[in-house]
Amino acid sequence: MMNNPNAPFAHHLDYMKTYQPFYSRFDPCPPIGVKYYSTPPQLYMGFQPPGLQQFSPKEALKKGTLWAALYDPYKNPYEGKRRTHHDE
C-alpha cells in the first residue's frame, strides 16, 4: 500500500480552480470578484490503475468513493465569508 494514495498524481493536487468573470465599465452592478470551482480527481487520471488503496466500506460510504486516490476533500472557499446587505 502507498502512504499517499494520490502520490502518482501529486502534481495535479490543486483541485480548486479560480477565475475572474469579465467586468465591463458599463456593467450596472459591482464586479463579482474571484469565483471558485472544484475539479474531481478522476480528471487527472487517464485510467484507473490496478491495486489502488481502498477505504473500508463504512469509510467509503462517508467519503463517497471506494478508492482513496479518487477522494476529494472539498473545502468550501466561501466559508467564513458572510454576505451582508452591503455585499449585494
Side-chain angles (χ1 to χ4, degrees):
M1 273 192 194
M2 295 187 277
N3 291 339
N4 180 1
N6 290 314
F9 315 104
H11 60 286
H12 292 295
L13 286 181
D14 189 16
Y15 301 131
M16 190 62 65
K17 309 291 186 203
T18 62
Y19 71 96
Q20 189 165 3
F22 175 76
Y23 177 74
S24 167
R25 63 182 181 177
F26 301 111
D27 286 341
C29 298
I32 293 175
V34 176
K35 300 291 281 181
Y36 298 89
Y37 64 98
S38 180
T39 55
Q42 66 266 23
L43 288 180
Y44 305 106
M45 297 174 76
F47 62 95
Q48 183 174 328
L52 284 179
Q53 178 184 356
Q54 295 182 356
F55 291 123
S56 69
K58 185 176 181 179
E59 192 69 18
L61 286 172
K62 288 181 185 178
K63 299 200 182 251
T65 184
L66 180 60
W67 297 279
L70 298 180
Y71 174 64
D72 179 18
Y74 177 78
K75 293 180 176 73
N76 187 348
Y78 300 105
E79 191 173 301
K81 294 182 180 181
R82 287 192 141 177
R83 289 197 66 167
T84 64
H85 294 293
H86 302 288
D87 292 341
E88 295 176 14

